[in-house]
Amino acid sequence: MSSKKITLAFIGDIVGKPGRNMLKAHLKDLREEFGVDFVIANYENASHGFGLTSKNALELFNAGVDVMTGGNHSFDKKEVLPLFESMELLRPHNYPEATPGTGKKLYDVKGVKLGVLNIMGHYTMPMVDNPFTCARQAVDELKAEGADAIFMDIHAEASSEKRAMMMMFQGELSGIIGTHTHVATDDFQINQGTAYLSDIGMTGCRDNVIGMEAKIPLQRFLTGVGGHFNVPDKCKKILQIAILEIEEGACVKGTKLKIFDDGRRMETEAWQES
Ligand SMILES: [Fe+2]
């Protein structure tokens, strides 16, 4: 295990242009302020709310992201497929073996071998392999490849699945943070060196429905007739980011920030579980 310290940051579902604009406006300053060495962000809603285009991928990497994770919308824009070969993009590791791309990779961060793992839950999600057995195998492989620290983005609807993942890997991983619901939970904690948050919440429009115009979701709930979800042109925006300080593979401090586009900022520290 390396004794070097690293600071990594994680951003959850970036929803459309408002989300991308928040990253462009704040991420480089946040990297500097907190001495962030490595940024992981979830791309699955980054282009018009569904999937990722190559143009938007470049935009996000240029804004200061190092690697991006995915979810059930990873493949919504088909132009993403060749990008798995040319960019630092992951997709849930428990998709079938024939799926393009991978969901686990090792990165060298200041001499520390950081494994990044992207897993998708089962409840209301596309058919994928067992998230728990797949995660177990992937973590064992990353360790065998020499990982000093491992971070997991668990993309899932059910908080119970995410929490069970934490119980399975506490003391083993540096961080397990949930994505997908777009709504942040209030359970940021450190268990035996493993930072855990059921859902980090989205980055994008905060005044609609999960970052999308409220009209179609409301219509669907009232009448049963759905439609295409749109990202609003104008909205009140939020950026949500977790910053993890990692020492010898264990998270020693976790900070969650909410940055509002009107200049307000809220900061929460992860509690250390005894
Ligand atoms: Fe999702």
Side-chain angles (χ1 to χ4, degrees):
M1 296 286 271
S2 168
S3 62
K4 285 183 187 168
K5 297 176 190 178
I6 55 166
T7 301
L8 71 88
F10 181 60
I11 299 166
D13 308 68
I14 302 159
V15 185
K17 194 173 185 179
R20 301 196 309 272
N21 283 346
M22 285 299 277
L23 257 75
K24 286 198 274 188
H26 298 285
L27 186 54
K28 284 186 177 161
D29 288 345
L30 287 167
R31 279 192 80 128
E32 200 166 318
E33 181 183 347
F34 288 89
V36 173
D37 301 304
F38 197 76
V39 176
I40 306 162
N42 190 299
Y43 65 81
E44 74 144 12
N45 306 115
S47 297
H48 319 292
F50 299 92
L52 180 71
T53 64
S54 52
K55 182 174 166 240
N56 294 159
L58 283 174
E59 200 181 332
L60 291 168
F61 286 123
N62 288 336
V65 175
D66 293 295
V67 57
M68 291 201 277
T69 49
N72 53 308
H73 294 295
S74 275
F75 313 115
D76 286 7
K77 303 268 190 294
K78 296 297 172 269
E79 67 179 273
V80 79
L81 296 176
L83 305 185
F84 289 115
E85 301 298 320
S86 59
M87 292 182 177
E88 295 307 327
L89 289 183
L90 302 178
R91 46 78 174 164
H93 198 56
N94 50 330
Y95 268 112
E97 215 174 319
T99 307
T102 180
K104 79 168 169 72
K105 200 163 173 183
L106 264 185
Y107 295 90
D108 188 293
V109 182
K110 281 180 27 186
V112 172
K113 284 185 181 175
L114 172 70
V116 179
L117 176 60
N118 188 189
I119 292 285
M120 187 155 68
H122 260 174
Y123 182 70
T124 75
M125 289 304 214
M127 193 180 288
V128 284
D129 296 339
N130 185 305
F132 298 91
T133 53
C134 179
R136 178 72 269 164
Q137 190 181 336
V139 166
D140 289 346
E141 286 168 4
L142 284 166
K143 283 180 171 177
E145 291 162 26
D148 298 305
I150 300 173
F151 175 85
M152 182 196 296
D153 170 359
I154 169 72
H155 195 79
E157 179 75 33
S159 51
S160 57
E161 278 184 290
K162 300 176 189 182
R163 180 74 193 176
M165 199 63 86
M166 196 288 292
M167 296 304 290
M168 187 163 160
F169 288 107
Q170 63 181 332
E172 234 182 312
L173 269 58
S174 308
I176 300 171
I177 297 187
T179 53
H180 177 70
T181 70
H182 294 204
V183 178
T185 58
D186 190 24
D187 56 346
F188 196 21
Q189 59 197 259
I190 300 171
N191 294 277
Q192 300 172 35
T194 304
Y196 174 73
L197 179 60
S198 293
D199 205 300
I200 188 168
M202 57 158 209
T203 287
C205 294
R206 68 178 195 270
D207 55 349
N208 282 266
V209 176
I210 62 165
M212 305 290 188
E213 275 177 3
K215 188 180 163 201
I216 298 295
L218 262 178
Q219 173 191 297
R220 191 170 76 177
F221 289 128
L222 288 168
T223 68
V225 180
H228 184 73
F229 283 26
N230 293 307
V231 176
D233 292 328
K234 285 186 178 175
C235 63
K236 295 173 183 171
K237 297 186 271 295
I238 190 169
L239 166 69
Q240 307 197 61
I241 185 168
I243 296 162
L244 310 182
E245 293 177 28
I246 295 164
E247 213 174 308
E248 294 187 14
C251 182
V252 293
K253 186 180 178 188
T255 308
K256 165 84 189 284
L257 285 168
K258 295 190 186 89
I259 312 273
F260 297 78
D261 58 341
D262 56 15
R264 285 177 296 157
R265 168 169 159 159
M266 293 170 72
E267 193 170 323
T268 315
E269 195 166 319
W271 78 76
Q272 277 279 2
E273 196 50 273
S274 52

